[in-house]
Amino acid sequence: MPEPAKPRPSATPNPAAPRPSGPRPAGAPPRPPTGRIVAKPAAPPPEEPLAEAPPLEEAPPAAEEGRGGARAGARRPSERRRRREAEGEGGPAPASGPPTTRGKPVRGPVQAPRDYLKPEGLPLALKFAMIVSGAILVLMSIYSVIVYGIASSSISQQVEDDGVIAVSLAAQIGEEYYILSQINEELYKPPEPKEDEDDDTKIARRKKTESWNAKKKQTRDRYIAHLRHLLYFDIEGEKPTPFRRLLDVYILDMKQKKAYLAATETIGGYRGSAARKFEWDGRETDIEIIEGTYARANEPIVAFTKPVYDRYKEAKGSLPYVAHVFLSGAEIAAAKNKLKFQMVIWLVLSILAGVGLSFGVARLVTRPVKQLLEDIHLVSQGDFAHRTEASSKDEVGMLARAFDAMTQSLAAAREKEIENQQRQHELHIATEIQANLLPKKIPRIPGFDFDAYYRPSKEVGGDYYDFIPIDDTHLGLIVADVSGKGVPGSMVMTMARSLIRLEAGRNLSAADTLVKTNRIIAADIRRGMFVTALYAILDIPNRTILVSSAGHNPMVIWRKESNGIQLVNPNGIALGFDRGPIFERTAKEQLVRLGKGDRVVMYTDGVVESMNKDHEEFGDKHFYQLVQKVANRNSNQVVNIIVTKLDEHQGDAEQHDDITMLTFMVE
């Protein structure tokens, strides 16, 4: 009868458990694989030389914690998983409480304060308006300067044109007055008095002289009126515009330095700069323009002068008369200032209109951006059902549509994340359930040293090992492998475990147990799935083992006496391939007698098919040599050494299949 076995923890590792790091003290035993509680073994027997084993690097023994402690054959994390553990990303999800992601609670959406919608700097609309307003200010200023320059030049040109016309008319009036005066003098001038003229002649001459003087005065007054008309009215007989107002018009007798013909009773002099010639079609004329100060009124003027000619004489300038016209410089400056004021008003109004327009355009442009910011705020609060509507077809509209698509993607991703979290939570529960299905106790039978190891490639696996008490003197040992990993494999493994335990009770035939199990599994298992198994019944008093195989890897027996390896693998096909006839015909069993010091190793294909990053398998031969080399150690050390060698071979590569081992030594 086997002795009561001590309790053992779940075979599923705790990935969150820290892996020891740092150098080992000299002489200290090597660490066991992570997640495995190693039982302290009894003192190992002296190591004997291995004659038939090829040279192989000595593997470090496992840590010893006392034979009385139970050891869990737990999963050894890969290097990648260990890195995740070190970064705090590993660890199983809790069985209850909020969903988690890699062991971390899933945080809800960050409740961003509403104030973050207010920009810390200048708003985008204000920046846009300032830029547009600045551009309008610069452009309108340049435009106003150009317009003012053109208008001012136009005023100056108009002033010159008006002055030239006025002085030309004045010179024409002076010329006509001179010619008419000469004609009247020839026609109406009385003869010179004579000494011997009688009284009648004197009276006639006196009357003629009076008539001549009256005629001459009449002619002078008429032409003075012409000059006055030119002074107070423009050439069209209308009231002059401000910049056409004339201060004075007269014709000066250059010889006598007095007025020959003047529009006013008194004439005034002027002080001015050097005269310049008026040009017409690129040619200089006899008209001079002088800018200065009018002495009588003491105000700025623009003076125009033109010589008076006698058109009936060939020589120009034959007459000593010069026409003078004075235009008010103050009126001209006032006209320019008025134009300048109007331009400033127009500029200010244009700038104000531009600023208002720029703010309107800025609000029109930034309104979709602000709306998009509101949508972003809502989505950031976790409202993934919110839809963002594009209000335009420009770049902002494209951005809104892209954000809406991103929101929908986030909503879908969030749903998937919740589903994944729930799935991870369920997988964690499945992991715990599967761990509870594995043996929690390592049998403690006098004369035998048992140990086992299990590490799934995923959260749950399809491998299975078990110790099945049959009666007081027989113990069933089984290692099985389901075709498939993950949840499907674990479900089939659970079903196979229950059936095998059910059929193994009080059944001392290993083959018959597998036959009866196959009848049920083959009827219920999904098409394409199967279970390979190696089942052995240990006869404790007689130290024999009855082995039957369902298409599984062979049992490895190390014979201490010969230091050789024996492979035991009776015929048989996998469970689930056939519903009965073929399986029953092929199922065989083999009785093997064990000697003192012999070691038995049962394993799944995940051990010998463990691959590194170059897809190189550990291999059957390498495994047999390793078993032969370490077989004389206690079972705990054997398992630890083999697992260490597998991890060294695998390196950074992912584990692609479940790893399961069961071993014992006959003491």
Side-chain angles (χ1 to χ4, degrees):
M1 177 71 181
E3 293 183 7
K6 59 177 180 175
R8 57 174 300 170
S10 170
T12 304
N14 179 11
R19 182 177 177 88
S21 59
R24 298 285 293 167
R31 302 186 183 98
T34 304
R36 303 177 65 230
I37 303 176
V38 183
K40 184 176 180 181
E47 212 172 354
E48 299 179 2
L50 305 178
E52 298 178 6
L56 184 67
E57 180 182 354
E58 182 70 24
E64 298 182 357
E65 300 180 359
R67 191 58 180 171
R71 186 190 59 80
R75 176 178 177 177
R76 180 185 179 90
S78 63
E79 291 296 328
R80 185 173 300 177
R81 173 161 298 190
R82 288 198 293 268
R83 286 195 296 269
R84 291 202 301 265
E85 293 169 4
E87 296 171 2
E89 299 179 357
S96 61
T100 60
T101 300
R102 292 185 176 179
K104 294 183 179 179
V106 178
R107 297 181 180 177
V110 179
Q111 299 297 325
R114 189 76 179 179
D115 294 342
Y116 91 96
L117 292 177
K118 298 180 181 180
E120 296 181 359
L122 294 177
L124 181 61
L126 181 58
K127 291 181 180 179
F128 184 86
M130 291 176 62
I131 294 174
V132 175
S133 301
I136 292 176
L137 175 62
V138 173
L139 293 177
M140 296 305 298
S141 299
I142 296 175
Y143 177 75
S144 299
V145 171
I146 294 175
V147 171
Y148 175 76
I150 294 175
S152 179
S153 299
S154 178
I155 292 176
S156 300
Q157 186 63 41
Q158 187 65 42
V159 168
E160 289 189 1
D161 292 344
D162 291 346
V164 168
I165 292 174
V167 77
S168 298
L169 291 175
Q172 185 177 355
I173 291 172
E175 182 181 359
E176 290 179 358
Y177 173 69
Y178 174 77
I179 293 174
L180 186 58
S181 297
Q182 294 297 322
I183 293 174
N184 289 337
E185 186 176 353
E186 292 178 359
L187 295 177
Y188 303 109
K189 184 178 182 179
E192 294 292 333
K194 297 180 181 180
E195 295 179 0
D196 55 350
E197 61 183 0
D198 54 11
D199 293 336
D200 294 334
T201 303
K202 289 182 179 180
I203 293 172
R205 184 174 59 78
R206 187 180 303 111
K207 290 181 178 180
K208 194 172 183 179
T209 300
E210 291 177 356
S211 176
W212 156 247
N213 290 332
K215 186 71 174 178
K216 187 165 63 172
K217 184 177 182 305
Q218 182 183 1
T219 302
R220 182 179 179 82
D221 291 343
R222 186 174 63 184
Y223 279 93
I224 288 176
H226 289 332
L227 290 180
R228 288 178 178 176
H229 183 272
L230 182 64
L231 177 63
Y232 295 110
F233 299 91
D234 64 6
I235 58 176
E236 296 179 356
E238 299 177 356
K239 290 184 179 181
T241 55
F243 59 84
R244 288 179 177 177
R245 188 171 71 85
L246 302 180
L247 291 178
D248 203 357
V249 178
Y250 60 81
I251 299 173
L252 186 64
D253 187 343
M254 302 302 293
K255 290 184 179 180
Q256 299 183 11
K257 301 298 182 180
K258 65 178 183 179
Y260 175 64
L261 195 65
T264 58
E265 295 181 357
T266 59
I267 63 173
Y270 64 92
R271 299 184 301 274
S273 58
R276 60 183 178 85
K277 294 288 185 179
F278 175 74
E279 295 184 356
W280 180 258
D281 288 339
R283 294 177 296 175
E284 291 185 355
T285 63
D286 54 357
I287 299 176
E288 293 183 347
I289 303 174
I290 305 169
E291 295 182 2
T293 303
Y294 193 47
R296 188 176 63 184
N298 195 24
E299 65 173 296
I301 59 168
V302 178
F304 295 84
T305 64
K306 178 177 174 60
V308 178
Y309 300 111
D310 184 359
R311 73 183 63 182
Y312 298 103
K313 294 184 178 181
E314 297 181 358
K316 293 183 179 181
S318 57
L319 299 179
Y321 309 119
V322 178
H324 289 70
V325 174
F326 300 95
L327 271 68
S328 173
E331 294 292 336
I332 297 171
K336 291 185 177 180
N337 290 334
K338 182 178 180 180
L339 175 64
K340 185 185 298 183
F341 178 76
Q342 292 175 347
M343 293 301 301
V344 171
I345 294 298
W346 181 79
L347 176 62
V348 172
L349 293 178
S350 299
I351 292 175
L352 292 178
V355 170
L357 179 63
S358 64
F359 270 97
V361 174
R363 289 180 60 85
L364 183 64
V365 172
T366 57
R367 185 180 301 142
V369 178
K370 188 174 181 180
Q371 182 61 43
L372 181 59
L373 188 60
E374 292 282 349
D375 295 338
I376 293 174
H377 174 72
L378 291 176
V379 174
S380 68
Q381 298 300 307
D383 186 6
F384 293 105
H386 178 75
R387 298 299 303 273
T388 301
E389 298 182 358
S391 58
S392 62
K393 296 183 179 180
D394 54 9
E395 289 80 357
V396 178
M398 293 175 60
L399 181 61
R401 287 188 290 272
F403 178 75
D404 184 61
M406 185 192 71
T407 303
Q408 297 182 53
S409 300
L410 286 176
R414 187 184 183 190
E415 292 296 330
K416 290 183 179 179
E417 182 182 4
I418 294 175
E419 293 177 1
N420 290 335
Q421 292 172 2
Q422 184 64 28
R423 189 177 297 111
Q424 291 293 331
H425 181 63
E426 294 172 354
L427 283 176
H428 175 69
I429 296 176
T431 301
E432 291 184 348
I433 293 174
Q434 186 182 34
N436 291 331
L437 293 178
L438 294 174
K440 295 182 176 60
K441 301 176 181 178
I442 297 293
R444 299 183 60 186
I445 302 174
F448 295 91
D449 177 22
F450 289 93
D451 204 353
Y453 179 84
Y454 171 70
R455 184 170 75 193
S457 60
K458 296 183 178 180
E459 284 77 3
V460 290
D463 279 10
Y464 161 60
Y465 78 92
D466 202 357
F467 301 97
I468 306 173
I470 298 176
D471 55 26
D472 293 341
T473 59
H474 292 85
L475 177 67
L477 308 173
I478 187 168
V479 171
D481 184 5
V482 178
S483 61
K485 297 176 287 293
V487 175
S490 67
M491 295 179 66
V492 175
M493 182 274 286
T494 303
M495 179 176 63
R497 172 190 180 276
S498 300
L499 293 175
I500 291 173
R501 273 188 163 264
L502 178 64
E503 298 298 337
R506 297 296 177 177
N507 192 342
L508 298 180
S509 173
D512 184 63
T513 301
L514 295 181
V515 167
K516 292 179 179 179
T517 302
N518 179 71
R519 291 174 185 172
I520 304 176
I521 288 182
D524 297 336
I525 197 170
R526 192 183 71 177
R527 184 179 180 86
M529 294 191 72
F530 57 90
V531 181
T532 66
L534 185 64
Y535 179 55
I537 299 176
L538 176 63
D539 186 341
I540 299 173
N542 297 321
R543 294 188 177 183
T544 61
I545 185 167
L546 186 62
V547 183
S548 183
S549 175
H552 198 75
N553 300 83
M555 174 186 290
V556 179
I557 301 177
W558 175 74
R559 299 294 186 177
K560 181 176 182 181
E561 184 177 354
S562 62
N563 192 24
I565 294 294
Q566 178 185 355
L567 302 179
V568 178
N569 193 13
N571 292 334
I573 62 175
L575 299 172
F577 267 153
D578 178 69
R579 297 201 173 196
I582 300 177
F583 188 90
E584 293 176 8
R585 287 198 305 267
T586 57
K588 304 295 180 183
E589 59 185 11
Q590 180 178 349
L591 181 63
V592 180
R593 186 171 298 278
L594 301 175
K596 185 177 181 180
D598 290 350
R599 174 168 295 281
V600 175
V601 179
M602 302 166 65
Y603 62 96
T604 59
D605 57 1
V607 175
V608 295
E609 294 177 1
S610 175
M611 291 189 295
N612 57 20
K613 62 182 180 180
D614 296 327
H615 301 285
E616 296 175 349
E617 294 183 352
F618 191 78
D620 294 304
K621 183 178 180 181
H622 190 189
F623 177 68
Y624 301 153
Q625 293 173 352
L626 181 59
V627 171
Q628 184 181 22
K629 186 174 183 61
V630 300
N632 61 341
R633 298 173 182 264
N634 63 61
S635 296
N636 179 261
Q637 291 178 336
V638 169
V639 169
N640 285 337
I641 293 172
I642 293 176
V643 170
T644 301
K645 288 298 181 179
L646 291 178
D647 288 341
E648 291 176 357
H649 174 77
Q650 179 179 322
D652 294 333
E654 290 289 340
Q655 180 179 333
H656 79 286
D657 199 0
D658 305 333
I659 296 176
T660 305
M661 282 186 295
L662 188 154
T663 183
F664 68 91
M665 172 185 279
V666 181
E667 295 178 340

